[in-house]
PDB file of all heavy atoms in Angstrom:
ATOM      1  N   TRP A  36     -21.729  -7.414  57.869  1.00  0.00           N
ATOM      2  CA  TRP A  36     -22.910  -6.714  58.368  1.00  0.00           C
ATOM      3  C   TRP A  36     -23.496  -5.761  57.327  1.00  0.00           C
ATOM      4  O   TRP A  36     -24.698  -5.768  57.072  1.00  0.00           O
ATOM      5  CB  TRP A  36     -22.588  -5.959  59.657  1.00  0.00           C
ATOM      6  CG  TRP A  36     -23.487  -4.779  59.899  1.00  0.00           C
ATOM      7  CD1 TRP A  36     -23.124  -3.474  59.973  1.00  0.00           C
ATOM      8  CD2 TRP A  36     -24.914  -4.798  60.083  1.00  0.00           C
ATOM      9  NE1 TRP A  36     -24.222  -2.672  60.169  1.00  0.00           N
ATOM     10  CE2 TRP A  36     -25.340  -3.457  60.249  1.00  0.00           C
ATOM     11  CE3 TRP A  36     -25.876  -5.811  60.107  1.00  0.00           C
ATOM     12  CZ2 TRP A  36     -26.662  -3.106  60.435  1.00  0.00           C
ATOM     13  CZ3 TRP A  36     -27.218  -5.455  60.300  1.00  0.00           C
ATOM     14  CH2 TRP A  36     -27.594  -4.129  60.466  1.00  0.00           C
ATOM     15  N   VAL A  37     -22.661  -4.926  56.700  1.00  0.00           N
ATOM     16  CA  VAL A  37     -23.204  -3.906  55.799  1.00  0.00           C
ATOM     17  C   VAL A  37     -23.911  -4.523  54.602  1.00  0.00           C
ATOM     18  O   VAL A  37     -24.843  -3.930  54.045  1.00  0.00           O
ATOM     19  CB  VAL A  37     -22.109  -2.916  55.331  1.00  0.00           C
ATOM     20  CG1 VAL A  37     -21.499  -2.184  56.513  1.00  0.00           C
ATOM     21  CG2 VAL A  37     -21.033  -3.604  54.502  1.00  0.00           C
ATOM     22  N   THR A  38     -23.507  -5.721  54.197  1.00  0.00           N
ATOM     23  CA  THR A  38     -24.154  -6.374  53.069  1.00  0.00           C
ATOM     24  C   THR A  38     -25.543  -6.888  53.440  1.00  0.00           C
ATOM     25  O   THR A  38     -26.421  -7.022  52.577  1.00  0.00           O
ATOM     26  CB  THR A  38     -23.275  -7.526  52.547  1.00  0.00           C
ATOM     27  OG1 THR A  38     -21.966  -7.009  52.264  1.00  0.00           O
ATOM     28  CG2 THR A  38     -23.846  -8.120  51.278  1.00  0.00           C
ATOM     29  N   TRP A  39     -25.753  -7.133  54.739  1.00  0.00           N
ATOM     30  CA  TRP A  39     -27.058  -7.609  55.194  1.00  0.00           C
ATOM     31  C   TRP A  39     -28.003  -6.471  55.570  1.00  0.00           C
ATOM     32  O   TRP A  39     -29.148  -6.725  55.967  1.00  0.00           O
ATOM     33  CB  TRP A  39     -26.885  -8.554  56.392  1.00  0.00           C
ATOM     34  CG  TRP A  39     -26.376  -9.906  56.000  1.00  0.00           C
ATOM     35  CD1 TRP A  39     -25.119 -10.391  56.138  1.00  0.00           C
ATOM     36  CD2 TRP A  39     -27.128 -10.957  55.382  1.00  0.00           C
ATOM     37  NE1 TRP A  39     -25.023 -11.664  55.648  1.00  0.00           N
ATOM     38  CE2 TRP A  39     -26.252 -12.036  55.179  1.00  0.00           C
ATOM     39  CE3 TRP A  39     -28.463 -11.086  54.982  1.00  0.00           C
ATOM     40  CZ2 TRP A  39     -26.647 -13.235  54.595  1.00  0.00           C
ATOM     41  CZ3 TRP A  39     -28.861 -12.281  54.405  1.00  0.00           C
ATOM     42  CH2 TRP A  39     -27.972 -13.332  54.222  1.00  0.00           C
ATOM     43  N   ILE A  40     -27.573  -5.217  55.443  1.00  0.00           N
ATOM     44  CA  ILE A  40     -28.449  -4.095  55.786  1.00  0.00           C
ATOM     45  C   ILE A  40     -29.737  -4.092  54.955  1.00  0.00           C
ATOM     46  O   ILE A  40     -30.832  -3.891  55.502  1.00  0.00           O
ATOM     47  CB  ILE A  40     -27.696  -2.749  55.655  1.00  0.00           C
ATOM     48  CG1 ILE A  40     -26.660  -2.626  56.783  1.00  0.00           C
ATOM     49  CG2 ILE A  40     -28.671  -1.566  55.710  1.00  0.00           C
ATOM     50  CD1 ILE A  40     -25.793  -1.375  56.695  1.00  0.00           C
ATOM     51  N   PRO A  41     -29.677  -4.312  53.625  1.00  0.00           N
ATOM     52  CA  PRO A  41     -30.939  -4.378  52.869  1.00  0.00           C
ATOM     53  C   PRO A  41     -31.873  -5.479  53.372  1.00  0.00           C
ATOM     54  O   PRO A  41     -33.111  -5.327  53.325  1.00  0.00           O
ATOM     55  CB  PRO A  41     -30.477  -4.657  51.433  1.00  0.00           C
ATOM     56  CG  PRO A  41     -29.082  -4.121  51.383  1.00  0.00           C
ATOM     57  CD  PRO A  41     -28.510  -4.406  52.741  1.00  0.00           C
ATOM     58  N   TYR A  42     -31.316  -6.583  53.853  1.00  0.00           N
ATOM     59  CA  TYR A  42     -32.127  -7.672  54.409  1.00  0.00           C
ATOM     60  C   TYR A  42     -32.879  -7.190  55.648  1.00  0.00           C
ATOM     61  O   TYR A  42     -34.076  -7.479  55.813  1.00  0.00           O
ATOM     62  CB  TYR A  42     -31.224  -8.855  54.753  1.00  0.00           C
ATOM     63  CG  TYR A  42     -31.877  -9.924  55.603  1.00  0.00           C
ATOM     64  CD1 TYR A  42     -32.671 -10.910  55.031  1.00  0.00           C
ATOM     65  CD2 TYR A  42     -31.685  -9.952  56.988  1.00  0.00           C
ATOM     66  CE1 TYR A  42     -33.277 -11.892  55.807  1.00  0.00           C
ATOM     67  CE2 TYR A  42     -32.279 -10.925  57.776  1.00  0.00           C
ATOM     68  CZ  TYR A  42     -33.074 -11.894  57.182  1.00  0.00           C
ATOM     69  OH  TYR A  42     -33.681 -12.856  57.966  1.00  0.00           O
ATOM     70  N   VAL A  43     -32.190  -6.440  56.520  1.00  0.00           N
ATOM     71  CA  VAL A  43     -32.829  -5.899  57.723  1.00  0.00           C
ATOM     72  C   VAL A  43     -33.906  -4.886  57.342  1.00  0.00           C
ATOM     73  O   VAL A  43     -34.994  -4.855  57.928  1.00  0.00           O
ATOM     74  CB  VAL A  43     -31.775  -5.258  58.651  1.00  0.00           C
ATOM     75  CG1 VAL A  43     -32.440  -4.543  59.821  1.00  0.00           C
ATOM     76  CG2 VAL A  43     -30.805  -6.323  59.161  1.00  0.00           C
ATOM     77  N   LYS A  44     -33.613  -4.062  56.340  1.00  0.00           N
ATOM     78  CA  LYS A  44     -34.595  -3.080  55.878  1.00  0.00           C
ATOM     79  C   LYS A  44     -35.866  -3.765  55.394  1.00  0.00           C
ATOM     80  O   LYS A  44     -36.985  -3.353  55.734  1.00  0.00           O
ATOM     81  CB  LYS A  44     -33.986  -2.242  54.750  1.00  0.00           C
ATOM     82  CG  LYS A  44     -34.937  -1.183  54.200  1.00  0.00           C
ATOM     83  CD  LYS A  44     -34.337  -0.463  52.989  1.00  0.00           C
ATOM     84  CE  LYS A  44     -35.320   0.583  52.464  1.00  0.00           C
ATOM     85  NZ  LYS A  44     -34.834   1.220  51.219  1.00  0.00           N
ATOM     86  N   GLU A  45     -35.705  -4.821  54.620  1.00  0.00           N
ATOM     87  CA  GLU A  45     -36.860  -5.547  54.096  1.00  0.00           C
ATOM     88  C   GLU A  45     -37.569  -6.333  55.191  1.00  0.00           C
ATOM     89  O   GLU A  45     -38.809  -6.425  55.203  1.00  0.00           O
ATOM     90  CB  GLU A  45     -36.398  -6.489  52.979  1.00  0.00           C
ATOM     91  CG  GLU A  45     -37.533  -7.227  52.283  1.00  0.00           C
ATOM     92  CD  GLU A  45     -37.025  -8.077  51.126  1.00  0.00           C
ATOM     93  OE1 GLU A  45     -35.816  -8.022  50.828  1.00  0.00           O
ATOM     94  OE2 GLU A  45     -37.849  -8.792  50.534  1.00  0.00           O
ATOM     95  N   LYS A  46     -36.816  -6.871  56.128  1.00  0.00           N
ATOM     96  CA  LYS A  46     -37.378  -7.681  57.208  1.00  0.00           C
ATOM     97  C   LYS A  46     -38.393  -6.884  58.025  1.00  0.00           C
ATOM     98  O   LYS A  46     -39.450  -7.402  58.404  1.00  0.00           O
ATOM     99  CB  LYS A  46     -36.250  -8.174  58.105  1.00  0.00           C
ATOM    100  CG  LYS A  46     -36.690  -8.981  59.324  1.00  0.00           C
ATOM    101  CD  LYS A  46     -35.478  -9.407  60.149  1.00  0.00           C
ATOM    102  CE  LYS A  46     -35.869 -10.178  61.390  1.00  0.00           C
ATOM    103  NZ  LYS A  46     -34.673 -10.586  62.186  1.00  0.00           N
ATOM    104  N   TYR A  47     -38.068  -5.619  58.303  1.00  0.00           N
ATOM    105  CA  TYR A  47     -38.958  -4.781  59.111  1.00  0.00           C
ATOM    106  C   TYR A  47     -39.750  -3.776  58.284  1.00  0.00           C
ATOM    107  O   TYR A  47     -40.420  -2.907  58.846  1.00  0.00           O
ATOM    108  CB  TYR A  47     -38.132  -4.038  60.170  1.00  0.00           C
ATOM    109  CG  TYR A  47     -37.468  -4.964  61.168  1.00  0.00           C
ATOM    110  CD1 TYR A  47     -36.079  -5.086  61.207  1.00  0.00           C
ATOM    111  CD2 TYR A  47     -38.219  -5.722  62.058  1.00  0.00           C
ATOM    112  CE1 TYR A  47     -35.456  -5.936  62.109  1.00  0.00           C
ATOM    113  CE2 TYR A  47     -37.606  -6.576  62.962  1.00  0.00           C
ATOM    114  CZ  TYR A  47     -36.227  -6.672  62.984  1.00  0.00           C
ATOM    115  OH  TYR A  47     -35.619  -7.511  63.881  1.00  0.00           O
ATOM    116  N   ASN A  48     -39.646  -3.891  56.943  1.00  0.00           N
ATOM    117  CA  ASN A  48     -40.398  -3.018  56.035  1.00  0.00           C
ATOM    118  C   ASN A  48     -40.145  -1.536  56.345  1.00  0.00           C
ATOM    119  O   ASN A  48     -41.084  -0.741  56.526  1.00  0.00           O
ATOM    120  CB  ASN A  48     -41.896  -3.327  56.117  1.00  0.00           C
ATOM    121  CG  ASN A  48     -42.681  -2.702  54.971  1.00  0.00           C
ATOM    122  OD1 ASN A  48     -42.139  -2.481  53.879  1.00  0.00           O
ATOM    123  ND2 ASN A  48     -43.945  -2.388  55.224  1.00  0.00           N
ATOM    124  N   LEU A  49     -38.874  -1.151  56.391  1.00  0.00           N
ATOM    125  CA  LEU A  49     -38.491   0.215  56.748  1.00  0.00           C
ATOM    126  C   LEU A  49     -38.319   1.071  55.498  1.00  0.00           C
ATOM    127  O   LEU A  49     -37.864   0.583  54.457  1.00  0.00           O
ATOM    128  CB  LEU A  49     -37.166   0.200  57.517  1.00  0.00           C
ATOM    129  CG  LEU A  49     -37.094  -0.664  58.781  1.00  0.00           C
ATOM    130  CD1 LEU A  49     -35.673  -0.649  59.341  1.00  0.00           C
ATOM    131  CD2 LEU A  49     -38.077  -0.174  59.829  1.00  0.00           C
ATOM    132  N   ASP A  50     -38.685   2.350  55.594  1.00  0.00           N
ATOM    133  CA  ASP A  50     -38.311   3.266  54.518  1.00  0.00           C
ATOM    134  C   ASP A  50     -36.910   3.797  54.806  1.00  0.00           C
ATOM    135  O   ASP A  50     -36.300   3.467  55.828  1.00  0.00           O
ATOM    136  CB  ASP A  50     -39.328   4.408  54.363  1.00  0.00           C
ATOM    137  CG  ASP A  50     -39.467   5.281  55.610  1.00  0.00           C
ATOM    138  OD1 ASP A  50     -38.458   5.449  56.345  1.00  0.00           O
ATOM    139  OD2 ASP A  50     -40.571   5.816  55.854  1.00  0.00           O
ATOM    140  N   ASP A  51     -36.382   4.635  53.902  1.00  0.00           N
ATOM    141  CA  ASP A  51     -34.992   5.066  54.045  1.00  0.00           C
ATOM    142  C   ASP A  51     -34.763   5.903  55.303  1.00  0.00           C
ATOM    143  O   ASP A  51     -33.719   5.790  55.954  1.00  0.00           O
ATOM    144  CB  ASP A  51     -34.559   5.871  52.810  1.00  0.00           C
ATOM    145  CG  ASP A  51     -34.305   4.975  51.603  1.00  0.00           C
ATOM    146  OD1 ASP A  51     -34.270   3.742  51.786  1.00  0.00           O
ATOM    147  OD2 ASP A  51     -34.141   5.500  50.492  1.00  0.00           O
ATOM    148  N   ALA A  52     -35.726   6.741  55.656  1.00  0.00           N
ATOM    149  CA  ALA A  52     -35.577   7.565  56.859  1.00  0.00           C
ATOM    150  C   ALA A  52     -35.562   6.691  58.109  1.00  0.00           C
ATOM    151  O   ALA A  52     -34.766   6.909  59.022  1.00  0.00           O
ATOM    152  CB  ALA A  52     -36.713   8.592  56.939  1.00  0.00           C
ATOM    153  N   GLN A  53     -36.450   5.698  58.160  1.00  0.00           N
ATOM    154  CA  GLN A  53     -36.485   4.794  59.313  1.00  0.00           C
ATOM    155  C   GLN A  53     -35.218   3.964  59.401  1.00  0.00           C
ATOM    156  O   GLN A  53     -34.679   3.738  60.492  1.00  0.00           O
ATOM    157  CB  GLN A  53     -37.713   3.883  59.204  1.00  0.00           C
ATOM    158  CG  GLN A  53     -39.036   4.614  59.360  1.00  0.00           C
ATOM    159  CD  GLN A  53     -40.225   3.742  58.991  1.00  0.00           C
ATOM    160  OE1 GLN A  53     -40.138   2.878  58.112  1.00  0.00           O
ATOM    161  NE2 GLN A  53     -41.355   3.974  59.651  1.00  0.00           N
ATOM    162  N   LEU A  54     -34.706   3.526  58.235  1.00  0.00           N
ATOM    163  CA  LEU A  54     -33.457   2.771  58.232  1.00  0.00           C
ATOM    164  C   LEU A  54     -32.310   3.633  58.731  1.00  0.00           C
ATOM    165  O   LEU A  54     -31.458   3.185  59.512  1.00  0.00           O
ATOM    166  CB  LEU A  54     -33.153   2.257  56.823  1.00  0.00           C
ATOM    167  CG  LEU A  54     -31.839   1.485  56.663  1.00  0.00           C
ATOM    168  CD1 LEU A  54     -31.837   0.219  57.518  1.00  0.00           C
ATOM    169  CD2 LEU A  54     -31.588   1.137  55.195  1.00  0.00           C
ATOM    170  N   GLY A  55     -32.283   4.907  58.294  1.00  0.00           N
ATOM    171  CA  GLY A  55     -31.236   5.812  58.749  1.00  0.00           C
ATOM    172  C   GLY A  55     -31.245   5.977  60.253  1.00  0.00           C
ATOM    173  O   GLY A  55     -30.186   5.990  60.897  1.00  0.00           O
ATOM    174  N   LEU A  56     -32.428   6.099  60.835  1.00  0.00           N
ATOM    175  CA  LEU A  56     -32.526   6.233  62.288  1.00  0.00           C
ATOM    176  C   LEU A  56     -32.103   4.955  63.000  1.00  0.00           C
ATOM    177  O   LEU A  56     -31.473   5.000  64.064  1.00  0.00           O
ATOM    178  CB  LEU A  56     -33.963   6.609  62.675  1.00  0.00           C
ATOM    179  CG  LEU A  56     -34.402   8.020  62.279  1.00  0.00           C
ATOM    180  CD1 LEU A  56     -35.880   8.224  62.588  1.00  0.00           C
ATOM    181  CD2 LEU A  56     -33.563   9.065  63.004  1.00  0.00           C
ATOM    182  N   LEU A  57     -32.442   3.808  62.413  1.00  0.00           N
ATOM    183  CA  LEU A  57     -32.019   2.537  63.008  1.00  0.00           C
ATOM    184  C   LEU A  57     -30.490   2.423  62.996  1.00  0.00           C
ATOM    185  O   LEU A  57     -29.875   2.070  64.012  1.00  0.00           O
ATOM    186  CB  LEU A  57     -32.631   1.365  62.242  1.00  0.00           C
ATOM    187  CG  LEU A  57     -32.159  -0.037  62.672  1.00  0.00           C
ATOM    188  CD1 LEU A  57     -32.584  -0.332  64.102  1.00  0.00           C
ATOM    189  CD2 LEU A  57     -32.687  -1.102  61.715  1.00  0.00           C
ATOM    190  N   LEU A  58     -29.893   2.739  61.859  1.00  0.00           N
ATOM    191  CA  LEU A  58     -28.437   2.647  61.736  1.00  0.00           C
ATOM    192  C   LEU A  58     -27.723   3.628  62.657  1.00  0.00           C
ATOM    193  O   LEU A  58     -26.547   3.459  62.974  1.00  0.00           O
ATOM    194  CB  LEU A  58     -28.017   2.906  60.280  1.00  0.00           C
ATOM    195  CG  LEU A  58     -28.514   1.874  59.259  1.00  0.00           C
ATOM    196  CD1 LEU A  58     -28.121   2.296  57.846  1.00  0.00           C
ATOM    197  CD2 LEU A  58     -27.973   0.488  59.570  1.00  0.00           C
ATOM    198  N   LEU A  59     -28.454   4.646  63.095  1.00  0.00           N
ATOM    199  CA  LEU A  59     -27.893   5.630  64.019  1.00  0.00           C
ATOM    200  C   LEU A  59     -27.494   4.995  65.354  1.00  0.00           C
ATOM    201  O   LEU A  59     -26.624   5.514  66.059  1.00  0.00           O
ATOM    202  CB  LEU A  59     -28.933   6.722  64.260  1.00  0.00           C
ATOM    203  CG  LEU A  59     -28.530   8.021  64.937  1.00  0.00           C
ATOM    204  CD1 LEU A  59     -27.530   8.779  64.098  1.00  0.00           C
ATOM    205  CD2 LEU A  59     -29.759   8.882  65.177  1.00  0.00           C
ATOM    206  N   SER A  60     -28.099   3.871  65.690  1.00  0.00           N
ATOM    207  CA  SER A  60     -27.847   3.230  66.987  1.00  0.00           C
ATOM    208  C   SER A  60     -26.383   2.882  67.179  1.00  0.00           C
ATOM    209  O   SER A  60     -25.833   3.051  68.274  1.00  0.00           O
ATOM    210  CB  SER A  60     -28.702   1.958  67.121  1.00  0.00           C
ATOM    211  OG  SER A  60     -30.067   2.238  66.976  1.00  0.00           O
ATOM    212  N   LEU A  61     -25.730   2.399  66.117  1.00  0.00           N
ATOM    213  CA  LEU A  61     -24.341   1.979  66.235  1.00  0.00           C
ATOM    214  C   LEU A  61     -23.406   3.158  66.508  1.00  0.00           C
ATOM    215  O   LEU A  61     -22.681   3.154  67.503  1.00  0.00           O
ATOM    216  CB  LEU A  61     -23.924   1.202  64.980  1.00  0.00           C
ATOM    217  CG  LEU A  61     -22.564   0.493  65.000  1.00  0.00           C
ATOM    218  CD1 LEU A  61     -22.571  -0.674  64.010  1.00  0.00           C
ATOM    219  CD2 LEU A  61     -21.420   1.438  64.646  1.00  0.00           C
ATOM    220  N   PRO A  62     -23.387   4.184  65.653  1.00  0.00           N
ATOM    221  CA  PRO A  62     -22.462   5.290  65.919  1.00  0.00           C
ATOM    222  C   PRO A  62     -22.825   6.092  67.159  1.00  0.00           C
ATOM    223  O   PRO A  62     -21.944   6.670  67.800  1.00  0.00           O
ATOM    224  CB  PRO A  62     -22.553   6.146  64.653  1.00  0.00           C
ATOM    225  CG  PRO A  62     -23.873   5.807  64.064  1.00  0.00           C
ATOM    226  CD  PRO A  62     -24.095   4.368  64.382  1.00  0.00           C
ATOM    227  N   PHE A  63     -24.107   6.134  67.515  1.00  0.00           N
ATOM    228  CA  PHE A  63     -24.513   6.855  68.720  1.00  0.00           C
ATOM    229  C   PHE A  63     -23.891   6.200  69.952  1.00  0.00           C
ATOM    230  O   PHE A  63     -23.293   6.876  70.799  1.00  0.00           O
ATOM    231  CB  PHE A  63     -26.037   6.860  68.841  1.00  0.00           C
ATOM    232  CG  PHE A  63     -26.545   7.629  70.029  1.00  0.00           C
ATOM    233  CD1 PHE A  63     -26.513   9.013  70.042  1.00  0.00           C
ATOM    234  CD2 PHE A  63     -27.047   6.967  71.146  1.00  0.00           C
ATOM    235  CE1 PHE A  63     -26.974   9.736  71.138  1.00  0.00           C
ATOM    236  CE2 PHE A  63     -27.507   7.670  72.244  1.00  0.00           C
ATOM    237  CZ  PHE A  63     -27.476   9.060  72.237  1.00  0.00           C
ATOM    238  N   ALA A  64     -24.007   4.878  70.042  1.00  0.00           N
ATOM    239  CA  ALA A  64     -23.412   4.157  71.182  1.00  0.00           C
ATOM    240  C   ALA A  64     -21.893   4.248  71.142  1.00  0.00           C
ATOM    241  O   ALA A  64     -21.241   4.385  72.184  1.00  0.00           O
ATOM    242  CB  ALA A  64     -23.865   2.698  71.165  1.00  0.00           C
ATOM    243  N   SER A  65     -21.327   4.199  69.946  1.00  0.00           N
ATOM    244  CA  SER A  65     -19.873   4.278  69.814  1.00  0.00           C
ATOM    245  C   SER A  65     -19.358   5.639  70.258  1.00  0.00           C
ATOM    246  O   SER A  65     -18.343   5.732  70.957  1.00  0.00           O
ATOM    247  CB  SER A  65     -19.473   4.015  68.354  1.00  0.00           C
ATOM    248  OG  SER A  65     -18.073   3.981  68.211  1.00  0.00           O
ATOM    249  N   THR A  66     -20.063   6.705  69.867  1.00  0.00           N
ATOM    250  CA  THR A  66     -19.642   8.056  70.240  1.00  0.00           C
ATOM    251  C   THR A  66     -19.737   8.264  71.751  1.00  0.00           C
ATOM    252  O   THR A  66     -18.852   8.866  72.365  1.00  0.00           O
ATOM    253  CB  THR A  66     -20.496   9.109  69.511  1.00  0.00           C
ATOM    254  OG1 THR A  66     -20.382   8.899  68.097  1.00  0.00           O
ATOM    255  CG2 THR A  66     -20.027  10.519  69.840  1.00  0.00           C
TER     256      THR A  66
END
Side-chain angles (χ1 to χ4, degrees):
W36 154 243
V37 299
T38 306
W39 285 103
I40 289 176
Y42 167 83
V43 173
K44 180 185 180 185
E45 184 176 356
K46 177 181 178 180
Y47 296 113
N48 194 27
L49 304 175
D50 61 32
D51 285 349
Q53 292 169 328
L54 178 62
L56 290 174
L57 174 64
L58 296 176
L59 193 64
S60 303
L61 189 155
F63 182 73
S65 185
T66 303

